[in-house]
Amino acid sequence: MNIFINGQATDMPDNTSIDDVLQRIGQTHTGGIALAVNDMVVPKSQWAKAQISDGDKILIIKASQGG
């Protein structure tokens, strides 16, 4: 299936969870990350269960320090 991560098209296998997506893109450190699927924030407690569908748009936001 084809999904979009921060606007970039990415191919993922069917039956993929948010946790699977993060592992496949090499985002193993999940501290300081917020994630939305199709403009709806998904709580971290749901990432292992939340399934991604073809065409979904995932936005990953990483907190950073600075000014």
Side-chain angles (χ1 to χ4, degrees):
M1 76 178 144
N2 194 29
I3 63 171
F4 298 87
I5 301 173
N6 292 354
Q8 184 174 4
T10 306
D11 194 38
M12 289 284 162
D14 292 338
N15 301 316
T16 299
S17 70
I18 291 173
D19 272 347
D20 296 334
V21 169
L22 292 173
Q23 288 179 11
R24 287 185 170 274
I25 65 170
Q27 185 63 54
T28 55
H29 178 69
T30 59
I33 289 179
L35 192 140
V37 177
N38 300 323
D39 298 324
M40 302 228 12
V41 174
V42 179
K44 188 179 271 191
S45 62
Q46 298 294 316
W47 290 1
K49 295 182 237 175
Q51 294 292 306
I52 301 302
S53 299
D54 189 49
D56 278 353
K57 295 175 184 166
I58 299 173
L59 178 63
I60 301 171
I61 301 169
K62 298 176 188 176
S64 62
Q65 221 173 322

